[in-house]
Amino acid sequence: MSNVTSDTCALPPAAPNPVLLVLTALAAGAIVGLPLVSVQPNRIMPGEGLTLWALGGPMALTGALMVLAGLTWLAWRPTRRALSAALTLVGLCLALLPWALVVVAAAQIEPGMSSARIGLGAGLWALLFLLLLMLLELINRLALSPLLRWGLLLGLGLSLLLALTGGGLDGLALMREYHGRRAAFHAALRYHLLLVSAVVGISLLLAAGLALAMRRWSGLRRGTFSVLSVLQTIPSLALFGLLLAPLAYLAVRFTWLGDLGVRGIGWAPALIALVAYSLLPMTRNAFVALDEVAADVTDAARGMGMSPAQVFWQVRLPLALPVMLEGIRITAVQAIGLAAVAALIGAGGLGTFIFQGLGQAAMDLVLLGALPIILIALLVDGLFSALAEQLRRAQGRGETAHA
Amino acid sequence: MSWLRRSSAPLAWALLLVTLMLLMPRLEEGFRLIAPDARTLIYQRDSFASLVANHLLVVGVASLCAILLGMGAAILVTRPWGRDFLPLVSQLASIGQTFPPVAVLALAVPVLGFGSVPTIVALVLYGLLPIVRNTLVGIQGISPGVMESAHGMGMSGRQILWQVELPLARPVILAGIRTSVTINIATAAIGSTIGARTLGDPIIAGIVNGNTAFILQGAILIALLALCVDSLFERLQ
């Protein structure tokens, strides 16, 4: 609400928003010059790129350029109302993009062509990227509340999900790859998430132990952090490789380990390496979080007659939680990406599709692995950031209430 | 002497790297203990020296481009006439960092094909983000008082940039470059799956053929390279 007053004060000299102007100009370039989709007769044959002109003729091109012209006009006088209108327009464009693809797929693939497929072209990716940038810029300028922001994202996600599950997009090369290995995809997705959750859980426990030990014996601090940061610098592929030999040896030496599934290749080296990488961000945040709780707060708690255990569980830990959540966020996002590399050493997960696709030069299979990984990373990042933000706000409110 | 002591850690790692790189073929007997069944014990397709050199070349070119572009972009959006782009660029840099580097590498292939060039492009794109972010944080973290007194002394915009902003932001910018280079060394190794000739080659060959000796040879050299470069940054900072 406070924005309204500041808006009316700052209204008259509303200068054009150069960011939106540049983005719309680039989007116009992408629509006119780049192929939006490519139509392939089968999986092997290279596709033929089609621009919007080739897909929909002058009508479609004029329509799209009119929308962009509208955006330019709104960005020229960026009052709050104009920016809200621009946000609606950009949101609609993004929500309708999958449905436009449904129309294109229906027009380009005749019912009998079961192996024909539609690949997403450079123009479409560029357009998607530019529209998302516009959305981000407008959300920033309008200082949208978290609730509206998540609602907007949810709406866009829902539109995409409906288009994907409705069957209209089955002609997309990506969907053809998905339908070819639906069971494997779901298994890999579950496995990827399981591996990442296990890593986050284990490293959280270890990090909590380490942080507590370091608070007790300060001599441990330097050594632990330098060992953990050295671990962090070793490239993932190398760490997987270095773990392979000792694990293979252990599995042969102790058969019960082998029976558990511990091998040089597989989930065991992946889990160990991912936990090793996770320990630095997790421990650093846990330690800093616990250490940074202001001394006067704990003093006050003690003065109220709380026992040391009560001070820890009821005061120190809750106050440390937002920073610890930040550590969990960094760790989880990092583990989601590294788990993809672990597919190289046979650990499974979504990375399998990436490396299979690279091996077969089947780019849509690569996308089938890479896109979900990116989406999961973004989602986890957003959720944990929002959670930490919420906690911080709640605590801030509590503090002012006390004051 | 003090220079020697200060640079001792990077030198030690570099010495170890070069020694192992050159002597690896002589360690055949040692690798026989680890992989008794392997037909060939030492990776033969390329010399280790050329793999190390090529790995460094890929990372070096990519990091140099990332530093120039990243710092350039961050400096542009902190100037008065570029400030409109600041929120978007800053947010983009932090959101982009949640993209896993492997995914960026994999997505470079459909656009650019296989080989060293797509690897370098992917490394530049991803390596940009920590540099942009840290340069922004460094420049924005300078206290307004310092900037005001610089203006008050009659310094021009260019003088303020070179004599005030960049020197004060240096530690934070260097930290960003360090993160970027660390990620690039790791991602370049994975780049051998998309056809870049790097130290990842022996590891991938070892995984494909089930040859632990190859895997160890690649892994040890990459780890040493990473530690060497990282300790160099440790000294610089």
Side-chain angles (χ1 to χ4, degrees), chain A residues 9 12 27 41 44 48 51 66 74 78 84 111 214 234 239 243 254-255 357 363:
Chain A
C9 296
I44 318 292
E48 177 203 357
T51 57
M66 292 265 282
L74 289 172
S84 304
M214 279 191 291
I234 297 178
L239 194 57
L243 283 171
F254 305 101
T255 41
M363 289 316 137

Side-chain angles (χ1 to χ4, degrees), chain A residues 220-392:
Chain A
L220 270 179
R221 222 169 286 173
R222 242 183 89 88
T224 312
F225 277 130
S226 53
V227 168
L228 291 183
S229 57
V230 164
L231 270 178
Q232 191 86 6
T233 52
I234 297 178
S236 49
L237 196 57
L239 194 57
F240 290 137
L242 291 174
L243 283 171
L244 210 132
L247 281 176
Y249 171 77
L250 283 177
V252 172
R253 189 83 174 61
F254 305 101
T255 41
W256 59 271
L257 272 178
D259 293 338
L260 273 179
V262 174
R263 265 176 211 95
I265 289 234
W267 61 265
L271 189 70
I272 296 176
L274 292 185
V275 169
Y277 282 122
S278 305
L279 276 179
L280 181 68
M282 202 71 114
T283 312
R284 190 167 42 199
N285 278 56
F287 179 75
V288 168
L290 288 174
D291 212 49
E292 267 184 355
V293 173
D296 52 347
V297 176
T298 51
D299 281 346
R302 229 170 280 134
M304 284 164 65
M306 281 180 156
S307 70
Q310 279 176 320
V311 171
F312 182 82
W313 290 107
Q314 295 178 14
V315 178
R316 197 181 282 279
L317 197 61
L319 283 179
L321 219 51
V323 180
M324 287 174 80
L325 268 180
E326 185 81 349
I328 298 178
R329 177 184 69 85
I330 297 170
T331 307
V333 168
Q334 183 182 275
I336 290 166
L338 287 173
V341 184
L344 274 177
I345 52 163
L350 289 168
T352 320
F353 299 124
I354 295 184
F355 294 115
Q356 260 178 24
L358 289 175
Q360 304 170 2
M363 289 316 137
D364 296 293
L365 190 51
V366 174
L367 284 183
L368 187 64
L371 289 182
I373 290 176
I374 293 176
L375 279 180
I376 296 171
L378 286 174
L379 211 62
V380 166
D381 184 74
L383 279 177
F384 275 105
S385 304
L387 204 60
E389 181 66 21
Q390 204 64 39
L391 261 179
R392 229 173 240 141

Side-chain angles (χ1 to χ4, degrees), chain A residues 16-19 22-23 129 133-134 136-137 140-141 149 229-230 232-242 244-246 248 265 329 333 336-338 340-341 344-345 354-355 357-359 361 363 366-367 370-371 373-374 377-378 381, chain B residues 13 34 81 83-88 91-92 94-107 109-111 114 178 182 185-187 189-190 192-194 199-201 203-204 207 212 215-216 218-220 222-223 226-227 230 234:
Chain A
N17 177 325
V19 182
V22 169
L23 292 175
F129 180 62
L133 286 186
M134 289 180 207
L136 207 59
E137 166 72 10
N140 274 339
R141 294 281 160 193
R149 233 181 284 178
S229 57
V230 164
Q232 191 86 6
T233 52
I234 297 178
S236 49
L237 196 57
L239 194 57
F240 290 137
L242 291 174
L244 210 132
I265 289 234
R329 177 184 69 85
V333 168
I336 290 166
L338 287 173
V341 184
L344 274 177
I345 52 163
I354 295 184
F355 294 115
L358 289 175
M363 289 316 137
V366 174
L367 284 183
L371 289 182
I373 290 176
I374 293 176
L378 286 174
D381 184 74
Chain B
W13 288 121
I34 295 158
W81 35 269
R83 220 164 257 281
D84 279 319
F85 289 84
L86 179 63
L88 188 64
Q91 244 184 339
L92 196 62
S94 57
I95 293 177
Q97 272 181 295
T98 57
F99 278 50
V102 199
V104 177
L105 194 67
L107 293 181
V109 178
V111 186
F114 288 89
R178 183 179 178 177
T182 307
I185 291 178
T187 314
I190 305 165
S192 71
T193 58
I194 68 165
L199 280 170
D201 285 8
I203 300 186
I204 302 294
I207 290 171
T212 319
I215 298 179
L216 271 184
I220 292 171
I222 301 177
L227 291 173
D230 191 66
E234 175 99 46

Side-chain angles (χ1 to χ4, degrees), chain B residues 48-61:
Chain B
F48 287 110
S50 80
L51 287 179
V52 170
N54 216 48
H55 199 112
L56 274 176
L57 186 73
V58 167
V59 173
V61 170

